Amino acid sequence: MKKIIILIFVTTILCSCNSNSKKAESEISSQNKDAQFNAYKEQFVLLLWKLYPNWASGQGFHNYDSVLIIPNEAQRNLELAFSKNNLDSLKNYPLTTLSNNNKTDYYMIENQLKSIEWSINNLKSYEWNPSDYNVCGVFAEMLNNNYDSLDVRLHNFGLKLKNVQAYYEEAKKQIKNPTIEHTELAISQNLGGASVFTDDVKNALLKSKLPAAEKKQIETSANQSFEAVNNFAKWLKEYKNTSPRSFRLGKELYAQKFVFDIQSGYSAYQIYQKAIEHKKDLHQKMFILANELWEKYIHNPEKLTVGGKGFIKKPTDTLALIKQVIDVLSLHHVSADSFQIAIEQQIPVLVNFIKKKNLIFIDSTKPLVVRKEPAYMAGLAGASISSPGPYDKNGNTYYNVGSFGGWDKQRTESYLREYNHYILQILNIHEAIPGHYTQLIYANQSPSIIKAIFGNGAMVEGWAVYTERMMLENGYPNLTSNESSKEMWLMYYKWNLRTTCNTILDYGVHVNNLSKEDGINLLTKQAFQQQAEAEGKWRRVSLSQVQLCSYFTGYTEIYDFREALKKQQGEKFNLKQFHEQFLSYGSAPVKYIKELMTKN
Ligand code: ZN
Ligand code: ZN
């Protein structure tokens, strides 16, 4: 019935403009398709949340908080059917009838659906990655996050608990030849999070006003869940893993995962080649700078910083020379007490520089709130941006700054040297302005639930990494010249080497069988990282795949695109305009932004 009414309505509109040109007609049917696609998207997201309740909770959609899905083949079949149905539905919306915003949303939905199919049919991490099975985090979130009253959250917590035992029983049935690394991770993460079912929930129940009987019921189910988690960990420890899968993904799966996760115009192999070339280029540029700065900082008898006294022999090895200069420059850093103040004072300096140099419009009505990191983030890395989720539009965006709470002197000093005078400025460019924070403000101007949920990590990180170089190319922090200092460039190159080597490491490990020894050597010797940082990175690369490439890939795509446009437009190229138009499409994959920017 409803369909008929809509059809009649559409026909009347079309008839009333018979006298107009054909173009007007197609514009109206286009507007119509666009409106229909908007409605489709809303339906799509609601179905998505029904299928993935934990994901929904994480995004701030709490209607399905009480549901815990059992991971098994029946569930995977539901997911496959969902993908197939929606890939069919997408065919009803020809791309030519959609607005730019909806075009990119269309691509991103399509990619997500194909990625679901590929993950189930090809990647099959539900067999080899036991750390896929862990409910502790989603339960902890219900206790710690104040999105609703404690009693409402506890009530849902109690309902959700009922499936925990069945959840872990099914998990055991799915696991086949898991990797040793992901098995160990699953054990430590499950045991580490299990207190949510003992002390944490008991403390919450003390504060709750739920009926005593319900409280008792929740406590009983929680105890059973605690046991289920422990049993699962025990089962994993005793698992007879006669032929464990390697944590290395292998060439074919890696190339496919790269396509879905990054959505780049380049292939994984192309990006790997570009990273290797870029590393060579960085080393050459760093040597030239370090060679000059060596005379200024190390050979200068007035300013003997390394060794303290006497003549220092210039290293013949270029990497050793670069390292000496980096080490000396790293001594220039703020004190732990003034770390946050230094960041706060940087923000207006960055805004002023961007205005004076005409680099991009910064909306001054939405200032960034710099704050000490909240307790639940304590101990994490120095600085990060927290932005409100898609269902919390009025929330603040924060720049969280670490407080060194509980750190000993040595660790603090090492951190301060890492985030020295130079790198701290680059970090602020990346995290805040014109990096992540500025990108976020632009993304909010073309709101899209799809981009809020499936936002392209390579574009988001790539933009932040791109702005680091862009600021230095414009002379940062010098307002009167377009020459940034040699010190700034050298330290920037060191910072950029990290991103570059993340890509080389990731591809090397998963595709080329790079050994741990060679991987650590790459990071410490060729990218000047500390041993501890390199060890941490090795752990990350053995547990994740492709994600470490997103920074370099996005950066390379944006930079290459800008250079190509510059060449093509010559005198007419306007950097400010380029930045503003680029960001106006929201957090979409760079290849689609490129397509839209060059078509119009
Ligand atoms: Zn110091
Ligand atoms: Zn970032």
Side-chain angles (χ1 to χ4, degrees):
M1 202 40 205
K2 263 186 192 159
K3 259 187 190 162
I4 294 172
I5 294 171
I6 290 169
L7 277 179
I8 292 169
F9 182 65
V10 172
T11 327
T12 356
I13 294 175
L14 287 179
C15 289
S16 67
C17 54
N18 257 351
S19 52
N20 292 337
S21 69
K22 274 223 161 125
K23 193 170 178 281
E25 259 180 45
S26 76
E27 255 169 33
I28 281 174
S29 90
S30 207
Q31 275 170 18
N32 240 294
K33 272 288 173 202
D34 220 45
Q36 284 171 24
F37 190 70
N38 285 335
Y40 163 75
K41 286 196 295 188
E42 292 202 9
Q43 277 306 305
F44 168 81
V45 171
L46 288 177
L47 289 171
L48 184 78
W49 292 155
K50 203 170 176 187
L51 202 55
Y52 301 98
N54 290 353
W55 188 2
S57 306
Q59 293 282 327
F61 185 86
H62 295 288
N63 290 21
Y64 301 117
D65 274 12
S66 64
V67 182
L68 180 65
I69 300 270
I70 309 286
N72 56 18
E73 197 178 352
Q75 169 66 15
R76 290 195 291 276
N77 285 337
L78 286 178
E79 293 173 20
L80 288 173
F82 170 78
S83 295
K84 191 180 173 300
N85 288 342
N86 282 286
L87 282 168
D88 281 346
S89 303
L90 282 178
K91 291 181 191 140
N92 297 329
Y93 308 97
L95 278 163
T96 48
T97 63
L98 300 179
S99 67
N100 283 344
N101 195 8
N102 273 340
K103 258 183 207 148
T104 45
D105 280 359
Y106 178 108
Y107 285 130
M108 290 166 88
I109 293 173
E110 186 183 39
N111 182 73
Q112 184 63 38
L113 295 168
K114 287 182 174 169
S115 170
I116 289 173
E117 291 183 343
W118 174 80
S119 298
I120 293 175
N121 294 328
N122 302 77
L123 185 65
K124 299 188 174 195
S125 71
Y126 55 86
E127 289 183 353
W128 53 262
N129 181 2
S131 74
D132 272 2
Y133 306 105
N134 185 345
V135 297
C136 302
V138 69
F139 278 98
E141 185 69 16
M142 294 175 85
L143 293 186
N144 299 331
N145 195 334
N146 292 320
Y147 54 85
D148 209 330
S149 77
L150 176 66
D151 285 352
V152 169
R153 287 182 282 127
L154 271 175
H155 177 71
N156 286 326
F157 189 100
L159 293 173
K160 199 179 183 96
L161 278 174
K162 295 197 168 132
N163 265 355
V164 173
Q165 281 177 303
Y167 174 96
Y168 282 107
E169 282 313 307
E170 282 299 306
K172 290 179 195 169
K173 290 179 200 159
Q174 314 307 312
I175 294 169
K176 284 184 196 100
N177 309 326
T179 81
I180 291 164
E181 291 75 10
H182 293 97
T183 306
E184 282 167 3
L185 180 70
I187 294 167
S188 74
Q189 283 186 339
N190 271 286
L191 292 179
S195 69
V196 70
F197 299 123
T198 51
D199 296 354
D200 301 356
V201 70
K202 273 176 200 146
N203 285 335
L205 285 169
L206 286 177
K207 292 178 217 149
S208 153
K209 293 190 177 62
L210 286 176
E214 187 176 355
K215 283 193 193 179
K216 186 79 211 130
Q217 179 60 50
I218 293 175
E219 205 177 327
T220 310
S221 304
N223 285 334
Q224 288 163 351
S225 301
F226 183 72
E227 226 170 275
V229 174
N230 281 291
N231 277 335
F232 181 61
K234 186 165 172 276
W235 181 84
L236 285 173
K237 277 182 197 164
E238 291 166 358
Y239 185 86
K240 293 234 178 342
N241 204 352
T242 44
S243 52
R245 188 198 193 285
S246 164
F247 70 87
R248 300 171 196 271
L249 206 53
K251 190 175 180 179
E252 198 183 336
L253 286 177
Y254 188 91
Q256 292 164 350
K257 191 166 200 277
F258 185 90
V259 169
F260 290 119
D261 290 5
I262 308 278
Q263 300 181 68
S264 167
Y266 296 119
S267 70
Y269 180 71
Q270 283 173 317
I271 278 299
Y272 173 64
Q273 291 297 332
K274 277 179 172 285
I276 287 181
E277 282 307 308
H278 192 58
K279 176 167 72 92
K280 267 188 214 153
D281 187 40
L282 287 176
H283 279 165
Q284 273 168 17
K285 287 176 169 148
M286 290 173 91
F287 173 66
I288 294 169
L289 291 168
N291 202 27
E292 290 172 25
L293 292 170
W294 196 88
E295 299 295 334
K296 181 175 168 185
Y297 285 90
I298 299 173
H299 192 222
N300 183 347
E302 313 280 312
K303 277 192 186 176
L304 277 180
T305 342
V306 168
K309 53 182 180 272
F311 180 79
I312 292 162
K313 199 165 170 275
K314 198 171 186 172
T316 48
D317 176 53
T318 58
L319 294 179
L321 174 74
I322 295 169
K323 186 171 183 332
Q324 259 191 21
V325 178
I326 286 174
D327 285 347
V328 173
L329 292 179
S330 301
L331 298 174
H332 185 3
H333 63 73
V334 296
S335 69
D337 292 342
S338 50
F339 195 71
Q340 184 174 337
I341 299 166
I343 289 179
E344 276 167 15
Q345 288 172 342
Q346 259 266 289
I347 305 299
V349 174
L350 290 167
V351 173
N352 186 46
F353 179 85
I354 288 161
K355 268 191 194 153
K356 289 269 157 65
K357 300 274 177 152
N358 219 15
L359 300 177
I360 184 169
F361 171 74
I362 304 265
D363 186 348
S364 55
T365 61
K366 297 185 176 67
L368 175 61
V369 187
V370 182
R371 70 172 178 187
K372 191 183 143 188
E373 65 184 359
Y376 68 89
M377 298 174 95
L380 287 179
S384 64
I385 289 279
S386 308
S387 58
Y391 296 97
D392 181 22
K393 289 194 180 93
N394 299 319
N396 269 326
T397 296
Y398 295 102
Y399 192 174
N400 310 303
V401 181
S403 59
F404 307 99
W407 287 29
D408 62 27
K409 249 190 173 168
Q410 203 189 349
R411 190 175 169 204
T412 306
E413 173 66 17
S414 156
Y415 186 86
L416 290 170
R417 284 187 192 181
E418 179 74 34
Y419 291 93
N420 54 66
H421 173 73
Y422 308 99
I423 299 284
L424 189 57
Q425 297 182 64
I426 297 167
L427 180 74
N428 288 325
I429 291 171
H430 178 108
E431 297 291 343
I433 292 165
H436 287 318
Y437 182 64
T438 304
Q439 192 265 327
L440 214 91
I441 294 177
Y442 275 85
N444 288 342
Q445 281 165 1
S446 60
S448 148
I449 182 83
I450 297 302
K451 288 183 189 80
I453 301 167
F454 305 143
N456 184 258
M459 182 273 176
V460 170
E461 286 304 339
W463 169 261
V465 175
Y466 161 77
T467 60
E468 298 162 4
R469 178 167 177 181
M470 184 277 290
M471 290 288 274
L472 264 65
E473 284 176 339
N474 285 281
Y476 182 80
N478 300 326
L479 287 169
T480 47
S481 90
N482 274 341
E483 291 290 324
S484 198
S485 69
K486 291 189 173 80
E487 287 88 342
M488 201 71 196
W489 273 112
L490 179 65
M491 295 307 264
Y492 161 74
Y493 288 142
K494 188 220 167 193
W495 179 256
N496 192 250
L497 256 182
R498 182 198 280 187
T499 309
T500 310
C501 287
N502 279 347
T503 298
I504 298 174
L505 180 75
D506 201 55
Y507 191 92
V509 164
H510 288 290
V511 178
N512 291 344
N513 226 10
L514 186 78
S515 70
K516 179 172 181 185
E517 195 191 346
D518 290 345
I520 298 283
N521 187 58
L522 168 76
L523 301 178
T524 54
K525 297 281 168 359
Q526 299 187 51
F528 313 103
Q529 292 177 11
Q530 300 296 317
Q531 187 71 21
E533 189 188 352
E535 295 278 352
K537 197 54 67 63
W538 179 263
R539 186 176 146 76
R540 188 167 153 195
V541 78
S542 58
L543 295 171
S544 73
Q545 318 88 23
V546 171
Q547 200 273 335
L548 277 170
C549 294
S550 56
Y551 304 75
F552 181 76
T553 308
Y555 153 73
T556 303
E557 280 196 287
I558 298 171
Y559 199 85
D560 288 358
F561 175 43
R562 188 194 77 180
E563 292 306 287
L565 268 190
K566 250 177 161 175
K567 217 180 207 174
Q568 193 192 326
Q569 299 179 350
E571 295 276 285
K572 276 192 249 160
F573 179 82
N574 181 312
L575 188 62
K576 182 169 184 276
Q577 246 169 40
F578 169 76
H579 291 151
E580 289 167 2
Q581 197 188 346
F582 183 86
L583 290 187
S584 73
Y585 301 98
S587 311
V590 178
K591 68 172 170 183
Y592 300 129
I593 296 179
K594 201 171 146 180
E595 192 183 300
L596 293 171
M597 275 177 83
T598 42
K599 246 184 207 164
N600 295 335

